[in-house]
Amino acid sequence: MSEVEDFIYEYQDEKRDIMLYFHNLFVNELNLMAKIRFKIPFYYGKSWICYLNPNKSKEVELAFIRGNELSNAHGILETRERKQITSIEIRSVKEAPSSALLETIHEALLLDETTPYASKNKKKK
């Protein structure tokens, strides 16, 4: 098992299910690399794309590193007073807005493939 899978299996119930679902999607279907950074799983292609953060509450936060550059066409992402990162909190795999979320993930992947990552402090919009 990888270090990310070891991390995921430390959790129980819904948190584990959510993280396993997205981990398998990112690694097995979308061919992203996974690493533990800052004590949580990060996923990257050319650069960091997103991370999973199991909150103290019952949710898992799926956060996009370059969220300020995403369209958020479905309005599912929140900034939470951050300049660059946007995220969605997920309570269960069943309740996640699957089609909107998959479109957002594919937009993040396209951004990673086509637009080089500039500066952390540079906000486009």
Side-chain angles (χ1 to χ4, degrees):
M1 259 197 305
S2 71
E3 65 178 346
V4 172
E5 289 166 339
D6 289 341
F7 174 89
I8 291 170
Y9 279 105
E10 290 176 11
Y11 288 85
Q12 302 294 319
D13 306 322
E14 287 295 328
K15 282 187 182 181
R16 179 190 292 176
D17 294 344
I18 294 164
M19 289 190 288
L20 272 176
Y21 172 81
F22 285 103
H23 176 74
N24 288 327
L25 172 68
F26 295 144
V27 173
N28 298 329
E29 294 182 36
L30 301 174
N31 298 314
L32 297 179
M33 297 297 297
K35 285 191 179 185
I36 297 291
R37 293 287 183 258
F38 308 106
K39 299 181 182 179
I40 56 175
F42 276 74
Y43 298 88
Y44 65 96
K46 289 184 176 181
S47 63
W48 289 355
I49 295 170
C50 59
Y51 62 82
L52 295 172
N53 185 14
N55 292 337
K56 290 180 182 174
S57 58
K58 294 182 180 182
E59 299 91 12
V60 173
E61 178 184 37
L62 170 58
F64 296 92
I65 307 298
R66 297 173 69 180
N68 63 319
E69 297 177 65
L70 299 176
S71 69
N72 196 17
H74 299 284
I76 61 172
L77 301 176
E78 298 179 11
T79 61
R80 295 190 174 85
E81 300 183 25
R82 297 173 289 202
K83 291 181 180 178
Q84 181 178 337
I85 295 172
T86 60
S87 64
I88 180 172
E89 289 186 337
I90 301 166
R91 286 185 176 267
S92 74
V93 174
K94 292 177 195 170
E95 293 178 18
S98 57
S99 63
L101 197 48
L102 285 174
E103 283 183 36
T104 302
I105 291 166
H106 285 288
E107 182 184 359
L109 293 172
L110 182 63
L111 179 66
D112 182 61
E113 282 294 318
T114 60
T115 307
Y117 180 63
S119 166
K120 292 183 207 174
N121 301 321
K122 191 174 185 179
K123 186 174 182 179
K124 294 181 181 179
K125 276 197 182 179

